[in-house]
Structure formats: C-alpha cells, structure tokens
Amino acid sequence: MSVIALLLGAFGAFSVAQASYAQETDPQTNILIAINGHRAQLGLPALTINPQLNNLANVRSQDMVTRHYFSHYDPANGQLVILPLARNNGFYSYFGENLGRTTAQYNQIDDQLFPAWMNSPAHKANIEAGQFNQVGIGTAYDNATGHWVVTLLFSG
C-alpha cells in the first residue's frame, strides 16, 4: 500500500507558532518539529530523520526545479515518481510524499507549508499516518520562479 498526497490547495490559517518550541533557522528542522508536535498531540510516535530519505527528498526537489515541473508525476512519462523511487532505494513497505512550493523566505518555509499541509486531507493523512516512522525533508530553490520546492518523503 502506498500513501500519496499532492499539495494543490491554498494556504490555511493554522499557526505553527501554536506549538511551543524555539524556532530554528533551518526549515527542515522546523518542519520536523511541527510534524512531531502535531503527532504528539494525537499520541503518535515521533518521526525520525532517515538520511537516505533526506537525500532522496533533496534529489526529488532538485529534479522538479531542474526540469521545471511541480507534480507527483514525471512529465516525461506521466508515471508516478514516488513508487519506483521508493522501490529502487529499498523502501518496500509504506511510503508517502508531500510536496510544497512557496515564495517565502528560507527561514519561513515551514510557516507557509505546514499549515497548508494540515489543511489538505491527503497531506494531513501522511503526517498523521501511524505506519510511518521515518521522514526525509528536501528543499531546492528555483531561481527562475523564486519558489522553494519542498519534498517530504515518509516511510514505515
């Protein structure tokens, strides 16, 4: 079973600041803190960073910037990118992907994207999925559009 989510909606009104934590300067850390704070409120275990997933998430974000697309589907063949990506890298159980794109400053990426993911049922389902215990968070900047592209890869 695979869990796939796509960010399409507008940004919502959930404040990450509602979770009490000292904000770091790096959005990956802040996204992880926000995700785990939300999961803790639900009694779910915290996700841990998996270095291999982090690398894949960075590669995935950079690919979208390099090839000028923003989608779960490869523009060259129309196929989902996540399933072969997961299988080719040894992830055969549960796997999920959240994508986000924002023009926010680097240190404010999480302030824009986490509320949007929480207001999207499919994204929220990935964040709250009990079968996931690892995450990778990747970012890439698109100079042509001024957007940060963020990929979250979940595994369990």
Side-chain angles (χ1 to χ4, degrees):
M1 175 181 184
S2 297
V3 179
I4 309 293
L6 174 61
L7 174 60
L8 295 173
F11 296 123
F14 176 84
S15 172
V16 176
Q18 290 172 344
S20 62
Y21 63 89
Q23 191 167 31
E24 301 291 325
T25 58
D26 134 45
Q28 290 93 341
T29 300
N30 289 338
I31 289 169
L32 182 64
I33 290 169
I35 288 171
N36 284 336
H38 179 75
R39 288 174 64 91
Q41 291 175 348
L42 300 176
L44 294 169
L47 299 178
T48 58
I49 291 289
N50 176 304
Q52 184 180 8
L53 286 176
N54 254 8
N55 182 56
L56 292 173
N58 279 309
V59 166
R60 182 84 172 91
S61 290
Q62 189 58 55
D63 179 62
M64 287 185 277
V65 168
T66 300
R67 295 197 297 146
H68 310 292
Y69 75 103
F70 180 72
S71 175
H72 293 282
Y73 296 90
D74 188 318
N77 62 22
Q79 300 295 311
L80 275 173
V81 176
I82 189 175
L83 297 178
L85 180 72
R87 290 184 190 121
N88 292 340
N89 287 281
F91 295 97
Y92 296 100
S93 60
Y94 295 103
F95 203 78
E97 177 180 67
N98 284 7
L99 301 178
R101 184 168 58 178
T102 181
T103 57
Q105 296 295 316
Y106 181 73
N107 64 350
Q108 297 174 338
I109 291 171
D110 55 298
D111 292 334
Q112 291 293 310
L113 294 182
F114 187 74
W117 289 323
M118 293 307 296
N119 284 308
S120 162
H123 287 95
K124 187 176 181 180
N126 276 346
I127 290 168
E128 295 178 349
Q131 68 266 33
F132 293 144
N133 57 24
Q134 302 174 67
V135 66
I137 304 168
T139 61
Y141 186 71
D142 187 340
N143 286 311
T145 66
H147 285 96
W148 283 99
V149 176
V150 179
T151 302
L152 304 183
L153 296 177
F154 301 90
S155 183

